[in-house]
Amino acid sequence: MGDAGHGHPFDPESVERARSARLSSAEVDRLAEVLSIVGEPVRARIITALLAVEELCVGDVALAADVSEDAASYALRVLRTAGLVQRRRQGRLNFYRLADDDTQPALRSALAELRRLAAATPPPAG
């Protein structure tokens, strides 16, 4: 144990292990970006709906997410811009699906873990 001049003892080995495990600035920025995209309630509902089916038209996405078609369209545009969903046009209808079959297991797993974390974390006081 040593003293880093901050008024309390510390464990230099533990501090070094913690430092070596921290995320880079680029990783933190990307993680924050992805979490902000999938963490917005309407987009989270849409992603969850699209994980359950192959594809849905905008109206069906809105029904599945329990939001207006305008809200679904906007959320789908954000998700498409982020590269998380793909659009397929059929006549006047647009159908949406998750963009990459390779990322679906990771997305499914990440959402399941975030749900567990949310359930296990007490809400903030206030």
Side-chain angles (χ1 to χ4, degrees):
M1 295 270 192
D3 182 357
H6 53 67
H8 58 86
F10 72 94
D11 178 346
E13 290 178 17
S14 293
V15 169
E16 188 52 40
R17 277 196 318 271
R19 279 185 178 157
S20 67
R22 73 181 170 210
L23 300 172
S24 71
S25 293
E27 289 172 317
V28 168
D29 291 347
R30 183 63 182 143
L31 180 60
E33 180 183 346
V34 169
L35 287 173
S36 71
I37 291 167
V38 300
E40 191 277 328
V42 173
R43 293 190 294 257
R45 287 179 181 175
I46 290 171
I47 290 169
T48 303
L50 291 175
L51 280 167
V53 297
E54 187 173 326
E55 70 178 10
L56 292 169
C57 71
V58 175
D60 289 349
V61 167
L63 289 170
D66 197 25
V67 297
S68 70
E69 282 195 33
D70 286 344
S73 291
Y74 178 76
L76 286 162
R77 188 173 337 128
V78 171
L79 291 169
R80 193 166 56 90
T81 300
L84 292 173
V85 299
Q86 292 177 329
R87 177 178 63 192
R88 178 180 67 84
R89 292 179 193 242
Q90 183 176 338
R92 294 179 54 143
L93 293 176
N94 290 313
F95 289 86
Y96 290 87
R97 65 174 50 232
L98 291 175
D100 187 350
D101 289 338
D102 293 338
T103 61
Q104 288 182 32
L107 187 55
R108 186 181 312 281
S109 177
L111 286 174
E113 290 301 320
L114 287 170
R115 288 172 96 173
R116 277 193 277 279
L117 177 62
T121 305

